[in-house]
Amino acid sequence: MVKEIAHSLREYKRQSIATPVLVCFEVLLECLIPYVIALLVNRIQQGCELDVILKYGAVLVAMAAASLVFGVCSGAACAAASSGLAKNLRKDMFYKIQSYSFQNIDKYNVSSLITRMTTDVTNVQTAYMLLIRLVIRSPLMLIFSFIMAFVMGGSLAWVFVAVVPVLAIGLTIIVLKTIPLFRKAFRKYDKLNSSIQENVKAAREVKSYVREDYEMKKFGAASHELRSYFQKAERILALNQPIMQFCLYVVMCVVLSFGSYLVISSTGSDLNIGELSSILTYGFMMLNSLMMLSMAFTMIAMAGESGRRIVEVLTEESTLENPANPVTEVKDGSIDFDGVNFKYSAAAERNALSDINLHIKSGETIGIIGGTGSSKSTLVQLISRLYDVTEGSVKVGGIDVREYDMEVLRNSVAMVLQKNVLFSGTIKENLRWGDADATDDEIKEACRLACADEFIERFPDKYDTYIDQGGANVSGGQKQRLCIARALLKRPKILILDDSTSAVDTHTDAKIRKAMREYIPQTTKIIIAQRTASVEDADRIIVMDGGRIDDIGTHAELIKRNAIYREVYTSQNKEGHDLED
């Protein structure tokens, strides 16, 4: 895990190395200051002149100033390294997610990925900041303070050695007890964010069904669970301070009692006042270092679970990979399914598609119709290799899709999915997803063909109208037409419309289909629809049922021989006049 996260340091390695080096100098100077003060106290006790005091004072000021400079520089380097690591981690995770196949994405819900890129990365950033500064500083401070305490106090310094195991055992127990609680808490973060995301995304439905109270209770339950785990962890962590304070006061009492006794009984020969004061100072420094170290390890322990979750995303390998020598040109829009079986995961009990044998000529218009759950969308997702077949093969232009460069293949296949998505930005910016170099005239032509120009022209800013996130400020039908226009701009070899005209009226639907026949006659067009009217004029219509092809034929042929198609048609056309033909 550490090795994988360390890969994201890259250009911030220099700051990561500089921080502990600067901290070393800072700690060394801080540990020498009490020693110099002890020397000054002894000189004052011996009755030194003012110039001696001023000389020592100048040395102390210089040491303090140098320590401050090293501290500021180490803090700046630490901030740059930790924030740089966080930036790179988010970037690496985002880039990795872009390479995921649909099968990979299915493993994670959106809220979990968002939590990993925000909360988990922030935890790792904080832990790394503590690691390269505080976790270096505290042990160094502890070691230097021990050494100086023995130099100044001799055998009296053994009291510090005696108390360290007590603290170490107590702090270790605290860390071990809190790690499992933090691990569980981060899983609850996902649940909480999922509740928020679902509620905001479905705000209209929540209000339409007056389910605000239910959603608030659900959110409250998730929030309560998260609070309970953090509360348990904080209760254990709260023991950290009392343990430290207890050990601190015990040590101070012992040092003061025996130290004072030695100063008085030996009249300063075994231990003098300056040395006693420095031992007390080193004692505070040692125990404070242990306290800081315990806090750092607690944060690092908490970040350990965050790091594991981040690495899980970074090491996830896409189930789809480009071949060693990919084909870089799609010859035409012909499509062949040969003995295709498909299931979404190896653990799935049954196939989503079974025994699919289908051959589509380039330039054909194919309609696909079937009931909910008949795997219509699954079928077309195999064409652009959003998933790989479990058995058999899918060919485009006579070549297995697994032999193509994926970018080349997907640029040749335009899909208007069932769930239409627009991105934040202007209408032009959204349409140029289809062709980044499209001219204004080409954009307007595509919108005319998709019947989108009629509503765009009514907007005050026309094609520069800003689209809110998810297309919230346009209707469902308008969103569909914009997505169709975007697909047309690609001038693809294969165009797939997955129930993408369901929100437009039949007249507009007919106009769009007519425009596509005239605008891209050589493009293979696959239209998935619930309405038979949307596929009546297709060259052939595929009837899907239970993940299988039930029948293939023209509208007239299917009306006569296919019960499923006839039932759908008659339910939508009560008169059923075509049945008499």
Side-chain angles (χ1 to χ4, degrees):
M1 179 184 72
V2 173
K3 185 178 179 182
E4 187 66 35
I5 290 175
H7 288 157
S8 295
L9 277 174
R10 294 195 290 276
E11 68 269 31
Y12 297 98
K13 286 181 180 177
R14 184 168 56 84
Q15 291 91 332
S16 298
I17 295 170
T19 299
V21 172
L22 291 167
V23 165
C24 287
F25 287 110
E26 180 190 8
V27 170
L28 180 61
L29 288 167
E30 285 187 21
C31 288
L32 288 174
I33 287 173
Y35 175 73
V36 175
I37 291 174
L39 294 178
L40 175 59
V41 170
N42 290 336
R43 293 297 298 273
I44 292 173
Q45 190 179 11
Q46 294 167 6
C48 66
E49 299 294 330
L50 180 61
D51 62 328
V52 174
I53 296 174
L54 292 175
K55 188 182 296 182
Y56 274 97
V59 171
L60 286 171
V61 169
M63 292 174 70
S67 177
L68 176 64
V69 170
F70 284 122
V72 169
C73 291
S74 67
C78 179
S82 58
S83 59
L85 173 64
K87 181 203 74 172
N88 285 346
L89 278 175
R90 292 190 184 98
K91 176 183 175 182
D92 293 346
M93 289 175 71
F94 187 79
Y95 281 26
K96 187 70 175 182
I97 292 167
Q98 300 309 302
S99 73
Y100 282 179
S101 66
F102 276 24
Q103 190 173 342
N104 294 114
I105 292 172
D106 291 343
K107 285 181 62 177
Y108 305 95
N109 60 49
V110 175
S111 60
S112 176
L113 290 174
I114 291 172
T115 303
R116 292 169 200 241
M117 293 186 70
T118 52
T119 304
D120 288 332
V121 170
T122 300
N123 287 338
V124 170
Q125 177 184 351
T126 303
Y128 187 66
M129 178 178 64
L130 295 174
L131 184 66
I132 61 174
R133 193 174 189 205
L134 195 60
V135 175
I136 298 295
R137 176 188 171 83
S138 295
L140 284 175
M141 181 69 77
L142 194 63
I143 293 167
F144 288 161
S145 297
F146 262 131
I147 293 170
M148 294 306 297
F150 276 106
V151 169
M152 300 300 293
S155 59
L156 186 60
W158 282 106
V159 69
F160 299 119
V161 177
V163 79
V164 168
V166 177
L167 282 171
I169 292 169
L171 298 176
T172 300
I173 292 172
I174 288 173
V175 170
L176 292 177
K177 288 284 187 182
T178 54
I179 289 174
L181 293 172
F182 284 126
R183 186 165 293 170
K184 292 175 182 177
F186 284 117
R187 295 193 190 105
K188 298 303 176 184
Y189 259 128
D190 290 346
K191 188 175 179 181
L192 183 71
N193 286 342
S194 179
S195 176
I196 296 169
Q197 181 200 10
E198 193 174 56
N199 181 269
V200 173
K201 193 173 182 180
R204 290 180 176 85
E205 286 77 5
V206 170
K207 293 188 180 299
S208 297
Y209 286 93
V210 196
R211 296 286 282 177
E212 291 92 341
D213 289 342
Y214 170 78
E215 288 295 317
M216 284 189 283
K217 287 178 183 176
K218 188 170 75 170
F219 175 82
S223 182
H224 175 75
E225 284 184 307
L226 182 61
R227 179 201 61 81
S228 65
Y229 282 114
F230 274 112
Q231 186 177 29
K232 290 175 185 176
E234 291 295 338
R235 282 175 179 170
I236 297 172
L237 287 175
L239 297 173
N240 182 24
Q241 189 75 11
I243 291 173
M244 295 301 302
Q245 293 293 342
F246 173 76
C247 291
L248 176 64
Y249 290 132
V250 167
V251 167
M252 290 305 105
C253 288
V254 171
V255 170
L256 280 171
S257 300
F258 285 95
S260 300
Y261 173 76
L262 284 173
V263 171
I264 295 170
S265 62
S266 67
T267 61
S269 60
D270 292 336
L271 186 72
N272 55 48
I273 294 173
E275 291 170 340
L276 178 60
S277 66
S278 67
I279 289 173
L280 288 172
T281 302
Y282 287 127
F284 277 109
M285 291 169 70
M286 280 186 278
L287 296 177
N288 185 60
S289 296
L290 283 170
M291 186 182 295
M292 292 298 103
L293 200 59
S294 70
M295 291 172 61
F297 274 123
T298 302
M299 184 64 217
I300 291 168
M302 183 171 69
E305 177 61 16
S306 291
R308 185 193 65 78
R309 285 156 53 87
I310 290 169
V311 170
E312 195 174 56
V313 174
L314 292 174
T315 55
E316 177 80 20
E317 292 299 329
S318 175
T319 57
L320 302 179
E321 296 290 342
N322 269 336
N325 297 297
V327 177
T328 56
E329 183 182 359
V330 179
K331 184 176 67 176
D332 57 43
S334 62
I335 304 167
D336 298 286
F337 286 77
D338 295 312
V340 170
N341 292 317
F342 172 74
K343 59 173 67 174
Y344 280 100
S345 71
E349 294 182 1
R350 65 182 186 85
N351 289 333
L353 291 170
S354 299
D355 303 322
I356 303 297
N357 289 283
L358 175 64
H359 304 284
I360 301 170
K361 296 176 183 178
S362 183
E364 269 193 297
T365 298
I366 301 295
I368 302 180
I369 203 161
T372 302
S374 60
S375 297
K376 303 184 297 295
S377 297
T378 303
L379 180 73
V380 297
Q381 286 176 356
L382 299 179
I383 296 171
S384 57
R385 207 188 169 198
L386 298 179
Y387 293 95
D388 267 345
V389 298
T390 306
E391 296 176 13
S393 67
V394 177
K395 296 177 181 178
V396 171
I399 297 174
D400 194 312
V401 293
R402 290 169 289 195
E403 295 180 26
Y404 281 110
D405 177 88
M406 282 191 287
E407 186 175 339
V408 169
L409 175 66
R410 290 172 184 172
N411 274 330
S412 300
V413 181
M415 293 187 70
V416 183
L417 298 172
Q418 195 169 9
K419 293 181 179 179
N420 298 282
V421 176
L422 294 174
F423 297 88
S424 302
T426 65
I427 289 176
K428 278 184 184 177
E429 289 169 346
N430 270 277
L431 294 176
R432 284 195 171 115
W433 275 61
D435 180 1
D437 299 319
T439 64
D440 289 352
D441 289 339
E442 288 172 333
I443 288 173
K444 289 177 181 179
E445 176 65 8
C447 289
R448 184 188 66 79
L449 294 166
C451 299
D453 59 331
E454 56 192 51
F455 69 83
I456 294 175
E457 292 295 337
R458 292 199 297 267
F459 291 146
D461 295 325
K462 295 185 171 47
Y463 289 87
D464 291 316
T465 299
Y466 190 84
I467 300 294
D468 291 340
Q469 185 179 19
N473 59 333
V474 291
S475 70
Q478 290 171 340
K479 193 187 299 184
Q480 285 186 337
R481 283 178 276 176
L482 286 171
C483 290
I484 291 170
R486 181 172 62 189
L488 290 174
L489 278 171
K490 286 188 76 170
R491 293 183 177 272
K493 287 185 169 60
I494 299 170
L495 174 63
I496 299 170
L497 303 180
D498 186 355
D499 201 18
S500 53
T501 57
S502 57
V504 301
D505 60 84
T506 53
H507 176 65
T508 303
D509 185 12
K511 285 174 66 178
I512 292 171
R513 285 185 281 114
K514 180 176 181 293
M516 285 193 298
R517 282 196 303 270
E518 296 172 355
Y519 183 64
I520 44 174
Q522 301 304 316
T523 296
T524 302
K525 294 166 280 292
I526 299 176
I527 303 169
I528 298 175
Q530 299 294 334
R531 297 186 302 220
T532 57
S534 297
V535 296
E536 280 181 2
D537 57 353
D539 296 318
R540 286 184 293 162
I541 302 168
I542 301 169
V543 180
M544 299 288 297
D545 184 39
R548 297 174 182 270
I549 294 178
D550 187 71
D551 203 348
I552 303 175
T554 64
H555 170 72
E557 291 170 345
L558 294 175
I559 282 290
K560 291 177 181 178
R561 71 176 185 230
N562 189 268
I564 295 174
Y565 188 81
R566 187 164 53 247
E567 181 183 352
V568 173
Y569 179 81
T570 54
S571 67
Q572 295 174 2
N573 303 269
K574 293 183 180 179
E575 293 180 6
H577 55 272
D578 280 7
L579 291 174
E580 299 172 0
D581 296 342

